[in-house]
Amino acid sequence: MAKDAVSVELECTRNPEYRDVDGGSVADNVPEEPEGKPYADAEYTQIQPYAGMPKEVLLLHSSKARYRVTREILFWLMVACTLALVTLTVTVIALSPRCLNWWQVSPVYQVYLQSFSDSDGDGVGDLKGLHEQLDHFQYLNIKSVWLSPFYRSPMRDSGYDVEDFGAIDPLFGTMNDFEELLAKMHSIGLKLIMDFIPNHTSDRHRWFNLSRATDPHYKDYYVWSDCNGSAPRPNNWLSVFGGSAWTYDEVRGQCYLHQFFKEQPELNFRNPHVRKEMTDIIHFWLGKGVDGFRMGSVKHLLEAAHLRDEPQVDPNKAPETVVSEGDLYHDHTISQLGLHDLLRDWRAQMEAYSREPGRYRFMVTESYDYKEVDKTMMYYGTSLVKESDFPFNFYLLDLPQNTSGLWVQHLVQLWMDNMPEGQWANWLVGNHDQPRIASTAGQPYIRVINMLLLTLPGTPTTYYGEEIGMENINVTDSQAQDPAGKYNASASRDPQRSPMQWSGDMNAGFNNKTNTTWLPVHPDYSSINVEVQKEDEGSVLAQYRFLNTLRQSELTLQRGWFCSVHSDANVFSYLRELDGLDRAFLMVLNFGKEPAVTDLSSVAGLPDQLTVLKSTNQVSDGKAVQKSRILTEAGEGLVIQYSTDTRFHPNHLEQCYVSEKACYLSFVDILYKC
């Protein structure tokens, strides 16, 4: 029966009108079916395939060598191409250097919230005010914003005395204001770094009130010691701001430790409950969507449990006259054993939130270690255990001490020579605790200093107002806000915290609703402000914007080699170059007090004639110079772009540094490890 069905199927496909390529009919090519034997069993002699062939006929043709070989060749060719593509992809991934993260690509811009922009007319900057000024970051091509504390606080130390880590202080707005700000920032590609203050709380914090009342759970949340009201000094430890680090509490009848103001009692991180509380706070804000934390005052997190006296710097000094922080060696109150374990645990908590593509959570630590640079470098972690992405580099704060090229080179090399291999550098010249660089170094040098920050390898940090050259203000006793300044006028931090100068309008555009500001506006605001400088192509702001855009658009400036090539009493000069890319940059920066002529004839690879791409003196833009005679005025900086096939770093590795080696392959426009 089956054979009959096949026979019928074949008979239905015969087409007497079919003509093959030779013009014959199908009958000419199809043999007559033998009598008594189905057609399907007869020997098939059709030479040419024809339209409407049944499956069986098609299979007969496909088994012929000419079709089978072609098919196999195509199959194995496809397999080979697929394997080649997979191999190429794996090779590119394996050889490609890591992509730069958001905190490496852009400068970090520090916003001191109280002084940035006031939206409601009370004279204090707030979250809505910051929201209104987000266009400023887009104009500057800034991607990362570090925001000063806005937690609920009695404001004894400008918000660094926290009453509730999970609430917004009404002075700055509401949680809804924060959430709207964060959503808007993310929608326009901005990242928000929060100030995290784990070392202490306010003395009004709920934990402290329960601790002083000896609540069983909170009793040891802070560092307490037996003492009495007449002599409240369990030991000779001193506050950062001077005087004893101990204060007697009448409620508990003991002394509590505070390494800062007495309104900032020290948390006891040897208590596991305290550790969990602070970890929960980190989770709370990461859950809100913040992109990172600046961990403040981390070297103070742990103290020696034995509470012994610290040795005096001058052993012959009478103990009762030892009242300043600098009078003691702080062997028992800073950088104690266990500190880095604590920070690494917080880093691990943040890593869990960094797994989502594009949502890396950044961590930077603050620790002024002064001459002990090796202690600062420990915050990078190890090759096996990650800690902060970088610790803040405070060494350029010393730049005004000696305005010379040699001094600047020394400060730069101090960081480069001590930084662990493969880590990422960072640079800053000011913050909310330090005098403004335009005041300490001088207004004529703000341009060359910004040029230095934006052309060195690593991440620069810009304190609000540095992009326009803001200076310190003078503050009278009646205007003082900083408690440190109320005890010692020379220690006041108010001068560098004046309102941002947006325009020449009332209150420099900081507060357009009422004639009040929490600190005075600098009297030069009518000439030094954002609005005026936007209209001036030669302004500090215009130069900052140009250099930041250049930095982000040039692979050489982002991740190329840094090579110091010259320094003297005036000039510091260095190269930025990338293997495989013929475009390189030369910086010639004059930090001295007089004009200088720099001879770079000995620098291999530099063309004899060079062209200035950008000068801090606009009239020199595009100017041709000879490498044997590069003239700069005092405070002038030059960015020179040139082309060369010769690399400086292979023969001068002791003068050069790179975070991660990479080479550029021009014909496919990719980077690879080399």
Side-chain angles (χ1 to χ4, degrees):
M1 188 68 183
K3 289 184 177 181
D4 292 342
V6 172
S7 178
V8 170
E9 180 182 349
L10 289 175
E11 289 175 356
C12 291
T13 62
R14 293 172 182 164
N15 183 356
E17 299 300 320
Y18 172 75
R19 299 289 173 175
D20 63 15
V21 293
D22 297 322
S25 71
V26 68
D28 297 330
N29 290 313
V30 180
E32 183 177 337
E33 183 175 340
E35 183 177 351
K37 188 175 182 180
Y39 176 79
D41 292 340
E43 183 180 358
Y44 183 70
T45 60
Q46 169 71 30
I47 298 175
Q48 297 292 338
Y50 59 93
M53 286 184 298
K55 176 177 65 176
E56 291 78 5
V57 177
L58 180 62
L59 289 174
L60 288 172
H61 281 291
S62 64
S63 63
K64 292 182 179 180
R66 57 179 172 176
Y67 298 116
R68 187 182 69 254
V69 172
T70 302
R71 187 170 63 251
E72 290 180 355
I73 290 173
L74 290 174
F75 171 77
W76 289 112
L77 187 60
M78 290 177 63
V79 170
C81 289
T82 302
L83 290 175
L85 185 60
V86 170
T87 302
L88 179 62
T89 302
V90 171
T91 302
V92 168
I93 293 173
L95 293 180
S96 295
R98 291 170 295 177
C99 294
L100 295 183
N101 224 312
W102 57 265
W103 52 271
Q104 297 172 303
V105 172
S106 165
V108 173
Y109 187 103
Q110 183 188 357
V111 169
Y112 194 72
L113 189 57
Q114 287 173 266
S115 298
F116 201 64
S117 182
D118 175 19
S119 70
D120 57 12
D122 64 355
V124 178
D126 48 49
L127 294 170
K128 283 188 175 180
L130 172 58
H131 196 151
E132 293 169 358
Q133 299 292 355
L134 293 181
D135 287 349
H136 183 59
F137 305 124
Q138 291 185 292
Y139 175 78
L140 291 176
N141 203 19
I142 294 288
K143 308 295 184 186
S144 310
V145 177
W146 158 29
L147 191 55
S148 64
F150 48 81
Y151 310 102
R152 185 184 296 277
S153 166
M155 304 301 289
R156 293 290 297 173
D157 186 20
S158 300
Y160 287 90
D161 49 326
V162 180
E163 183 179 346
D164 186 346
F165 285 99
I168 307 291
D169 195 283
L171 188 67
F172 302 124
T174 66
M175 186 62 77
N176 186 60
D177 293 336
F178 171 78
E179 290 170 350
E180 289 182 355
L181 170 67
L182 185 59
K184 179 61 176 178
M185 291 180 69
H186 285 168
S187 72
I188 59 177
L190 290 173
K191 304 292 186 180
L192 177 64
I193 303 165
M194 278 185 63
D195 235 326
F196 187 57
I197 311 148
N199 181 68
H200 48 262
T201 70
S202 165
D203 59 356
R204 297 188 188 180
H205 199 290
R206 183 177 65 90
W207 300 342
F208 185 72
N209 289 324
L210 290 168
S211 185
R212 70 197 305 211
T214 65
D215 179 281
H217 181 76
Y218 294 94
K219 180 180 178 181
D220 296 325
Y221 263 47
Y222 296 84
V223 181
W224 295 92
S225 180
D226 291 332
C227 67
N228 59 71
S230 60
R233 283 177 64 105
N235 56 35
N236 71 344
W237 294 359
L238 297 173
S239 161
V240 168
F241 297 112
S244 175
W246 298 94
T247 292
Y248 180 73
D249 181 65
E250 294 183 354
V251 174
R252 179 155 168 161
Q254 286 185 305
C255 283
Y256 65 87
L257 178 67
H258 54 88
Q259 294 199 59
F260 295 88
F261 294 116
K262 65 182 179 65
E263 294 85 4
Q264 297 168 302
E266 203 92 355
L267 284 165
N268 176 20
F269 277 98
R270 300 191 186 281
N271 183 336
H273 296 297
V274 173
R275 292 192 180 213
K276 184 177 185 308
E277 294 274 16
M278 300 311 285
T279 299
D280 289 345
I281 291 165
I282 289 173
H283 282 284
F284 173 79
W285 289 107
L286 290 177
K288 288 284 184 183
V290 301
D291 300 288
F293 293 107
R294 171 259 195 187
M295 303 287 186
S297 306
V298 291
K299 72 177 183 179
H300 298 282
L301 287 174
L302 289 171
E303 309 79 23
H306 53 64
L307 303 183
R308 296 173 191 152
D309 280 355
E310 293 187 316
Q312 294 181 193
V313 173
D314 181 0
N316 298 319
K317 194 171 186 177
E320 62 272 14
T321 64
V322 176
V323 295
S324 173
E325 181 191 23
D327 292 337
L328 297 176
Y329 292 111
H330 300 284
D331 295 344
H332 308 319
T333 53
I334 64 173
S335 303
Q336 296 298 294
L337 187 66
L339 163 64
H340 292 281
D341 292 332
L342 181 59
L343 293 172
R344 289 165 189 171
D345 181 62
W346 289 342
R347 173 74 261 181
Q349 301 298 321
M350 295 175 68
E351 286 293 285
Y353 289 83
S354 297
R355 293 169 186 157
E356 182 182 348
R359 293 305 310 276
Y360 181 84
R361 308 305 171 96
F362 169 71
M363 175 174 158
V364 57
T365 46
E366 177 213 31
S367 180
Y368 289 89
D369 295 303
Y370 305 103
K371 294 181 180 180
E372 297 178 299
V373 65
D374 56 317
K375 287 186 176 180
T376 302
M377 296 302 165
M378 291 180 69
Y379 293 104
Y380 275 112
T382 69
S383 59
L384 299 177
V385 183
K386 190 173 183 178
E387 201 165 318
S388 60
D389 290 294
F390 57 70
F392 271 134
N393 173 5
F394 294 117
Y395 292 97
L396 284 183
L397 293 172
D398 294 336
L399 192 150
Q401 293 180 12
N402 182 351
T403 51
S404 75
L406 287 167
W407 178 243
V408 177
Q409 184 197 36
H410 164 71
L411 296 177
V412 170
Q413 291 298 141
L414 180 64
W415 191 267
M416 295 299 203
D417 292 343
N418 288 280
M419 185 171 61
E421 184 178 356
Q423 296 294 352
W424 191 257
N426 74 102
W427 316 92
L428 62 80
V429 292
N431 60 28
H432 59 289
D433 288 329
Q434 304 296 327
R436 287 192 175 275
I437 194 68
S439 294
T440 54
Q443 186 66 231
Y445 294 90
I446 185 63
R447 297 166 183 264
V448 72
I449 290 171
N450 279 339
M451 183 172 282
L452 174 73
L453 289 180
L454 292 167
T455 56
L456 284 173
T459 299
T461 295
T462 295
Y463 183 50
Y464 83 98
E466 286 177 356
E467 74 274 26
I468 58 173
M470 281 178 59
E471 298 186 50
N472 290 348
I473 59 170
N474 294 318
V475 180
T476 64
D477 290 342
S478 62
Q479 296 169 326
Q481 299 290 331
D482 184 12
K486 293 177 180 178
Y487 300 123
N488 178 3
S490 64
S492 176
R493 297 163 295 179
D494 287 336
Q496 59 263 28
R497 298 177 176 180
S498 62
M500 178 66 176
Q501 293 161 208
W502 294 106
S503 69
D505 298 336
M506 178 179 66
N507 302 319
F510 166 75
N511 173 11
N512 292 322
K513 292 182 172 61
T514 61
N515 193 19
T516 181
T517 56
W518 79 289
L519 280 173
V521 175
H522 198 289
D524 69 3
Y525 76 89
S526 59
S527 58
I528 297 181
N529 65 66
V530 173
E531 187 176 81
V532 165
Q533 293 195 16
K534 277 186 175 181
E535 302 300 319
D536 180 3
E537 293 182 357
S539 67
V540 176
L541 181 69
Q543 176 198 281
Y544 183 99
R545 184 182 185 223
F546 174 88
L547 290 173
N548 186 32
T549 301
L550 181 70
R551 177 184 179 275
Q552 295 187 45
S553 63
E554 291 289 344
L555 282 172
T556 306
L557 294 177
Q558 284 184 6
R559 58 195 312 160
W561 285 86
F562 161 86
C563 296
S564 175
V565 296
H566 178 84
S567 62
D568 58 31
N570 295 296
V571 170
F572 175 41
S573 183
Y574 52 92
L575 300 176
R576 300 299 310 279
E577 60 185 21
L578 182 68
D579 289 305
L581 196 61
D582 61 0
R583 188 167 62 255
F585 294 89
L586 167 69
M587 268 58 69
V588 183
L589 312 179
N590 189 337
F591 293 94
K593 300 294 186 183
E594 56 189 24
V597 175
T598 304
D599 183 1
L600 298 180
S601 299
S602 61
V603 179
L606 274 182
D608 291 334
Q609 184 163 310
L610 302 162
T611 302
V612 175
L613 175 65
K614 188 67 177 177
S615 170
T616 55
N617 183 358
Q618 190 181 15
V619 298
S620 296
D621 289 354
K623 182 179 178 181
V625 296
Q626 297 295 320
K627 74 172 183 179
S628 60
R629 185 177 175 80
I630 303 175
L631 174 64
T632 51
E633 300 294 330
E636 183 179 9
L638 306 177
V639 174
I640 297 171
Q641 179 179 310
Y642 63 96
S643 296
T644 181
D645 294 325
T646 304
R647 294 290 170 264
F648 181 84
H649 70 266
N651 298 318
H652 305 84
L653 290 177
E654 71 284 354
Q655 298 171 235
C656 299
Y657 162 83
V658 70
S659 177
E660 183 179 13
K661 293 180 182 179
C663 294
Y664 179 71
L665 203 57
S666 58
F667 75 92
V668 287
D669 192 28
I670 63 169
L671 284 173
Y672 64 95
K673 295 177 185 177
C674 55

